[in-house]
Amino acid sequence: MAYKRGDKWVGFYRDAAGKQHTNGNFHRKRDADLWEQEQKSAIRNDTWVDPGRSKMTVGQWSETWMAGRVHLKPKTLSSYRSLLATRVLPTWNTVPLTKIGHSDVVAWVAAMRAELSASRTRQAYHLLSSMLDDAVKDNRLARNPATGVGLPRLPRSDRRYLTHQQLADLADGCGPHRLMVLVAGYTGLRWGELTGLRARRVQPLRGRIDVVEAVTEVDGEMVFGTPKTHQHRSVVVPRFLREDLGRQLTGKAPTDLVFASRAGTPLRVQNFRRDWFDRAADDAGLSGLTPHELRHTAASLAIASGASVKGVQSMLGHASAQMTLDRYGHLFPDELDAVADRLDAARADQVLTEPRTDAPVARIRRAD
């Protein structure tokens, strides 16, 4: 129960850990009692927020939050820092976490959308929302005020899947990088995996490439690390490329890059596009093509050759088969038609061929 101190009433309660909290700013006892009841109810419903922890501003919380992102890749961290500096903190830096309103976030997203792409707007929103989600987990907020904010839709872009001939023409136009383009188009390696590939990871006779490392450009520097999903995988190289791949390794030390610049350093995608790829794409009638679309091409060619969902997932290094289906499911033949055809064939193999006039459906031979 509340008690009086001077001309004010003091409400108090104990949290789940037994720590006492007080508020002595009430002019009426009923207000102090109501405050106590609300706090105790929040503790019972697991929605209570420690008032001593909820005073932190977004700027202060961002520092704590970023310090805990040690598991992220350097490029992701760099992107987060850029979004914080240019989009999140200019608006929210000095705002206490508990003062963020849902309508404020709606207005912030709308303002960004007026000057940014849908993709960049969504990235900034998701960063703020992730920070607030963790503030809830850290008992600094009762709920995330950014939840449920409408976001601009990403524009749909039609993916291009090259034919074998188109891929060959494109590779021929890339001069000294011909083999690299073909490997990308038939194995699905990401750009960073391709340009970070070392000689010791290639077994041309077995036709295998072990993907254990990737290189990424971060703030102008080339940084080596694990592949995107942090998982190692092995991909198969088609037989017609193995001899060329073996020649590519001639004279290379185990740690040398398989596909490198003239100086032996990792290729930068901007330089490769400027010097070779974009011109080759134009000449092949594929203007606007990007190197990443070679990964899509590898998926489509594999599927057309009869690869399973799990096979394509393994080749591309997707985290799940569902991700593969989400991106390339439309390329797989209709499984229901295939099942029906197999059932027809299996039944035809066992059905007696002699005519029967007393039954509409032919009998199945009994196995001996």
Side-chain angles (χ1 to χ4, degrees):
M1 296 291 289
Y3 62 90
K4 199 166 187 179
R5 185 171 60 193
D7 61 347
K8 298 288 184 67
W9 285 92
V10 179
F12 70 96
Y13 66 96
R14 293 186 182 277
D15 61 28
K19 179 182 177 181
Q20 180 169 300
H21 299 267
T22 62
N23 185 343
N25 293 319
F26 299 104
H27 294 286
R28 299 184 303 176
K29 182 177 184 300
R30 61 183 295 184
D31 294 334
D33 289 339
L34 179 60
W35 177 80
E36 286 182 12
Q37 294 169 12
E38 290 174 346
Q39 301 306 312
K40 291 175 181 178
S41 176
I43 292 173
R44 288 194 300 271
N45 297 327
D46 200 27
T47 59
W48 178 78
V49 175
D50 187 339
R53 298 168 63 81
S54 62
K55 297 177 182 178
M56 182 176 281
T57 66
V58 174
Q60 293 169 330
W61 176 239
S62 71
E63 296 177 3
T64 301
W65 189 80
M66 283 294 292
R69 306 300 101 188
V70 294
H71 60 287
L72 297 179
K73 289 184 171 294
K75 188 171 183 177
T76 303
L77 287 173
S78 177
S79 176
Y80 281 7
R81 293 190 188 99
S82 174
L83 286 168
L84 280 170
T86 60
R87 295 299 158 190
V88 178
L89 296 184
T91 298
W92 304 106
N93 184 38
T94 60
V95 179
L97 292 170
T98 53
K99 297 297 182 182
I100 300 176
H102 180 79
S103 61
D104 298 325
V105 181
V106 170
W108 174 64
V109 169
M112 284 194 296
R113 186 63 188 97
E115 59 175 303
L116 299 177
S117 67
S119 175
R120 191 67 171 170
T121 298
R122 293 170 68 98
Q123 289 170 6
Y125 163 81
H126 286 306
L127 178 58
L128 176 65
S129 187
S130 294
M131 290 170 54
L132 297 181
D133 274 339
D134 285 346
V136 174
K137 296 175 185 176
D138 203 42
N139 202 29
R140 298 179 186 275
L141 280 175
R143 60 180 181 80
N144 183 350
T147 299
V149 174
L151 299 175
R153 293 184 179 181
L154 294 173
R156 295 189 62 178
S157 57
D158 294 330
R159 289 175 178 161
R160 276 186 286 188
Y161 307 103
L162 306 190
T163 65
H164 292 282
Q165 187 60 57
Q166 287 174 321
L167 180 56
D169 292 342
L170 177 69
D172 288 342
C174 286
H177 303 295
R178 171 183 174 275
L179 180 61
M180 183 181 74
V181 171
L182 290 175
V183 170
Y186 282 105
T187 66
L189 265 64
R190 300 178 178 91
W191 175 260
E193 296 167 347
L194 191 67
T195 56
L197 181 64
R198 298 186 189 277
R200 65 185 178 190
R201 305 299 184 188
V202 181
Q203 305 172 56
L205 295 181
R206 291 186 62 240
R208 293 291 188 276
I209 292 177
D210 295 323
V211 184
V212 301
E213 193 174 22
V215 64
T216 307
E217 186 171 353
V218 181
D219 299 330
E221 296 186 6
M222 306 304 285
V223 179
F224 284 87
T226 58
K228 186 174 182 179
T229 58
H230 299 281
Q231 295 181 344
H232 299 174
R233 70 185 191 279
S234 180
V235 298
V236 179
V237 180
R239 294 186 183 278
F240 75 91
L241 288 178
R242 296 177 187 179
E243 186 176 342
D244 286 345
L245 195 53
R247 285 195 291 268
Q248 181 78 6
L249 298 177
T250 302
K252 289 185 179 292
T255 58
D256 286 347
L257 296 174
V258 178
F259 306 111
S261 68
R262 292 179 180 177
T265 57
L267 284 168
R268 295 175 186 264
V269 67
Q270 297 91 337
N271 295 346
F272 171 64
R273 293 193 63 174
R274 179 196 64 211
D275 296 339
W276 295 99
F277 188 86
D278 289 351
R279 186 184 307 114
D282 290 341
D283 292 343
L286 301 167
S287 298
L289 189 76
T290 67
H292 189 71
E293 288 180 281
L294 296 177
R295 181 169 165 83
H296 300 323
T297 292
S300 70
L301 294 179
I303 292 168
S305 70
S308 67
V309 174
K310 292 297 291 183
V312 177
Q313 175 199 349
S314 177
M315 178 180 77
L316 298 180
H318 284 165
S320 67
Q322 185 60 52
M323 179 182 293
T324 305
L325 283 172
D326 287 344
R327 297 185 181 183
Y328 304 110
H330 62 289
L331 297 178
F332 285 93
D334 193 322
E335 288 294 329
L336 293 179
D337 287 343
V339 169
D341 291 342
R342 286 194 292 270
L343 286 172
D344 285 340
R347 188 176 188 283
D349 186 54
Q350 296 186 35
V351 171
L352 292 176
T353 58
E354 66 267 19
R356 282 178 55 89
T357 59
D358 60 337
V361 179
R363 291 183 292 109
I364 303 296
R365 282 202 307 267
R366 181 176 298 172
D368 293 332

